[in-house]
Amino acid sequence: MSAVENRGSIQPRISDATLRDSAHMAGVEFNAKDAAVISQLLVKTGVELVEVGMVSGPSSKDADLILATHEAVGPERSLTLVVVRDRQQVATALDEALRLGVKSVMFSIPTSQEHAQLKLASPSAKYLTSVARAAIEGAKERGFHVTFSGEDGARTPKERLVPYVAAGFEAGADRFRLAETVAYLSPWQMEEKIADLTAIDGSEIEIHSHNMLGMAVANSLAAVRAGAQWISATVGGIGERGGNAPLAELLTSLRVIHGDTRFDLSHLTELSKVALAGAGLGKAFQSGPTTPHAFAYELPGQLTSPQAYETLPAELVGNSRELRVRSRLTAPLIKWALADDGLDVDIDAFTTWLTARQERDGRPLLDQDGIRKAAVDFLSN
C-alpha cells in the first residue's frame, strides 16, 4: 500500500471512556454536571460513543453519571461497562443496567491467566469462555448491544485469546475490545495481535490502550492498520496506570497523518479544560510512569496484587505506590489501609462513618496516612 493510498484508508470510529476509565482513576470523581458537559462536547466533536459508568450489581454508584449522560446525548450514544465475575453477578448487573435505561454494554472480562485467577478465581480458559458466553447470551436476551473485552488482552497469548474471541462472537456479541490494561506492546506487536483477531469471521474489533509507555496513540493507529474498526480514548489521556490514549493527540494524528477531516477539533481545548477541572487535576495531566498518580490505586485488589496491573514496578523509576481515594470507600479497602497499625477498629462502622465525613467535607483526597488518622479520630469520638 502506498503512502497516498494509506492516507485515506484509515477511518476508525471513536469511543471515549473519560466518564468511565478516567472517572475510575484513583481519586478522580466526576459529577452529573461534568458528565452532561463532557458528553455533549464529545458528541459535537464527532465521537460516536460515550462510555459512562460501571455497573457490577444493584444500586450502581455511577447511576447519576449514566442518567446525566443519557439525558444529555441519549442512551443510543452511550455505553456502560458491566463487570463480569460469575453468572449470578452478571445477571444482577444487567438488570441494573436495564433499570438505568442502558442500551449498550461493554463486558469487562479478564482474559490473561493472572487476571482470570484474581477475578474469576480460576485461570481455566474453558471456564473463562463459559462465563463470557453466558454473559453475552444473557445480555442479548435482554436486548443489549454487546461489546465484550479482553481485559489484560495485550498479555494474553494468541492460543488463549483467539478461541475466546471467536467463541464470544459465536455467542452473539457485536464487538470485541482488546484492552491493553497493562501497557505491554510495541506498535508492530500490536498490529500482529490485532491481525489475529480481525481474521476471525464476522469480527468487529476495538482497541483500548493505556499510555504507561507513551505509545497508546501509536498502538491505536497500529491496531486500525491491522483492521480494527474502533479506537477507545479519553480526554486529556486521563486514566489509570499512566493514562489512556489521549483524544486530542489521536484526532490530530488522524488529521495530519491520514487526512481524516471527519472530526470537529475546535472543541478539544474546552473538553480538556472541563475534564481536568472535574477530575481535580489542575490544568494539566501528565502520562507515564513518573507521575504521582501512575501507581495510585483505590481498589484493594490492585493494592494487594499490584504486579498484575503494572507494566514495570514503581521502584524501578524511583516512584512509589499509594492509595488515593475520595468517596469510593469500602470495608476491604479500609481493612488494607489499617493493616498492621495496631488500632482496634470496627471496620464496617468506621467505613460508614468515614464515608459520611467525606461527603460532609466535600470529598477531600485521602491517602493511607489520612485514613489512619481518621481512624484515630473515630476511636476518640
Side-chain angles (χ1 to χ4, degrees):
M1 181 183 292
S2 71
V4 173
E5 290 172 329
N6 191 42
R7 278 184 64 84
S9 65
I10 295 184
Q11 294 240 314
R13 301 161 80 177
I14 307 297
S15 67
D16 183 275
T18 306
L19 295 173
R20 196 276 301 171
D21 202 318
S22 306
H24 288 90
M25 175 182 160
V28 173
E29 296 181 14
F30 294 111
N31 60 35
K33 182 179 178 181
D34 296 327
V37 174
I38 290 170
S39 60
Q40 287 173 335
L41 287 170
L42 286 169
V43 169
K44 288 179 180 178
T45 300
V47 169
E48 193 161 339
L49 272 178
V50 178
E51 185 176 343
V52 55
M54 181 165 62
V55 175
S56 58
S59 303
S60 171
K61 292 183 178 180
D62 289 335
D64 288 347
L65 291 186
I66 294 169
L67 295 174
T69 301
H70 287 180
E71 184 174 352
V73 300
E76 294 78 14
R77 299 296 295 266
S78 307
L79 177 147
T80 294
L81 182 144
V82 172
V83 175
V84 173
R85 295 295 178 262
D86 58 61
R87 296 188 185 194
Q88 184 176 357
Q89 172 266 322
V90 171
T92 304
L94 288 174
D95 289 342
E96 172 71 355
L98 271 180
R99 184 185 73 82
L100 294 171
V102 172
K103 302 293 185 184
S104 298
V105 296
M106 201 287 289
F107 283 128
S108 177
I109 308 175
T111 54
S112 68
Q113 284 189 323
E114 185 172 15
H115 275 242
Q117 179 65 57
L118 284 172
K119 298 171 184 178
L120 301 178
S122 171
S124 165
K126 183 177 180 180
Y127 180 68
L128 166 68
T129 300
S130 173
V131 170
R133 277 185 174 275
I136 293 165
E137 290 168 358
K140 296 305 291 186
E141 288 170 2
R142 289 169 171 83
F144 289 109
H145 181 282
V146 178
T147 300
F148 70 114
S149 79
E151 187 182 349
D152 201 24
R155 296 193 299 180
T156 304
K158 173 181 177 179
E159 60 271 17
R160 180 181 175 95
L161 185 64
V162 172
Y164 162 79
V165 175
F169 282 114
E170 288 170 5
D174 300 285
R175 182 161 67 248
F176 172 75
R177 172 186 289 180
L178 181 78
E180 195 181 14
T181 306
V182 178
Y184 181 72
L185 301 176
S186 66
W188 48 94
Q189 291 170 321
M190 177 64 77
E191 190 168 349
E192 182 178 348
K193 183 168 282 282
I194 293 294
D196 292 333
L197 305 180
T198 56
I200 298 170
D201 287 343
S203 64
E204 183 175 307
I205 306 299
E206 179 174 7
I207 179 63
H208 175 86
S209 281
H210 282 259
N211 206 33
M212 185 68 87
L213 300 180
M215 292 190 288
V217 169
N219 280 355
S220 298
L221 295 178
V224 173
R225 181 181 172 89
Q229 296 100 320
W230 288 81
I231 298 174
S232 169
T234 66
V235 176
I238 303 169
E240 299 176 285
R241 294 177 297 282
N244 296 90
L247 181 69
E249 285 89 325
L250 174 65
L251 297 187
T252 51
S253 293
L254 288 171
R255 173 74 66 97
V256 173
I257 298 170
H258 297 290
D260 189 342
T261 60
R262 293 173 298 152
F263 302 97
D264 184 350
L265 307 186
S266 66
H267 303 291
L268 290 176
T269 298
E270 184 181 0
L271 256 172
S272 294
K273 289 178 179 178
V274 171
L276 288 165
L281 293 171
K283 294 184 178 180
F285 173 77
Q286 181 183 348
S287 63
T290 63
T291 62
H293 46 258
F295 298 94
Y297 306 107
E298 65 179 18
L299 297 177
Q302 294 173 333
L303 290 160
T304 55
S305 303
Q307 71 283 352
Y309 297 89
E310 295 177 359
T311 303
L312 40 81
E315 297 80 8
L316 185 66
V317 293
N319 208 337
S320 60
R321 296 178 195 90
E322 61 175 293
L323 184 157
R324 291 161 62 96
V325 65
R326 295 185 187 274
S327 69
R328 298 190 190 106
L329 294 159
T330 62
L333 181 65
I334 296 296
K335 185 176 181 180
W336 181 91
L338 299 182
D340 303 320
D341 68 351
L343 295 173
D344 184 14
V345 179
D346 182 323
I347 297 294
D348 290 333
F350 174 54
T351 302
T352 300
W353 177 88
L354 183 56
T355 299
R357 193 177 83 164
Q358 284 292 99
E359 292 296 330
R360 183 198 70 196
D361 294 346
R363 302 181 181 182
L365 193 63
L366 284 173
D367 58 12
Q368 185 175 19
D369 286 341
I371 291 176
R372 290 185 171 188
K373 289 176 183 176
V376 173
D377 292 343
F378 172 74
L379 290 172
S380 67
N381 286 341

